[in-house]
Amino acid sequence: KAGVTQTPRYLIKTRGQQVTLSCSPISGHRSVSWYQQTPGQGLQFLFEYFSETQRNKGNFPGRFSGRQFSNSRSEMNVSTLELGDSALYLCASKGLAASYEQYFGPGTRLTVT
Amino acid sequence: KNQVEQSPQSLIILEGKNCTLQCNYTVSPFSNLRWYKQDTGRGPVSLTIMTFSENTKSNGRYTATLDADTKQSSLHITASQLSDSASYICVVSASPGGSYIPTFGRGTSLIVHP
């Protein structure tokens, strides 16, 4: 069974630009969560999508948004990039059978210059 | 405000030795507590998950404990190996209204020397 995949793995953007990151969950998983990881703040929860609906949302500004498609693939968008948005963005998928177990992808390393 | 504090921030031990990592939390209402291992440049991998009614959970050489009264958890690693060198992250999830919001600790960086 293939794991969670994220594309691209590395990305360099300029301040003010926008970026879209993609996450493909494990086959059969309908829940996808997004996280931001920085050396200063550690891991922080961005949002969770389930069956194309945002189910939970962390404490991030509206520049961070996401969506989920009918095949459970998810995208995360960050508009008007700031230097502080440089981080490792992780997504994780979760199935229904093991209600709390989630599986992380390798992450997308975003650098904003 | 929900918080998760981990200690120590970093730890260096010799291969074969045991070690214990600590996690204190103030998360309410409590849903579950998870320990993750994160190797450099990789996503976290789940080690254990515990709900309110569980006070011990093992996964090979990893044993997690939970004291819901004092809101403390520990992760004990037995007979450490070089491959145990990683960041260990404690995550506590609240459950308002049936959904869950995870709060992460900053992690403990463990280095195992030969």
Side-chain angles (χ1 to χ4, degrees), chain A residues 32-87:
Chain A
V32 174
S33 296
W34 287 91
Y35 303 87
Q36 182 195 66
Q37 187 173 33
T38 60
Q41 297 296 322
L43 267 160
Q44 293 181 280
F45 172 73
L46 280 156
F47 29 65
E48 179 196 8
Y49 284 87
F50 181 84
S51 293
E52 303 179 63
T53 301
Q54 189 180 88
R55 187 158 70 171
N56 290 298
K57 188 177 188 304
N59 190 26
F60 276 80
R63 299 185 298 107
F64 292 83
S65 63
R67 59 177 175 168
Q68 187 179 33
F69 302 96
S70 58
N71 61 358
S72 293
R73 189 178 69 85
S74 177
E75 287 182 348
M76 190 193 88
N77 185 77
V78 187
S79 63
T80 320
L81 283 165
E82 300 176 359
L83 296 178
D85 296 333
S86 294

Side-chain angles (χ1 to χ4, degrees), chain A residues 83-99:
Chain A
L83 296 178
D85 296 333
S86 294
L88 180 67
Y89 290 89
L90 293 157
C91 85
S93 76
K94 190 170 66 170
L96 292 176
S99 58

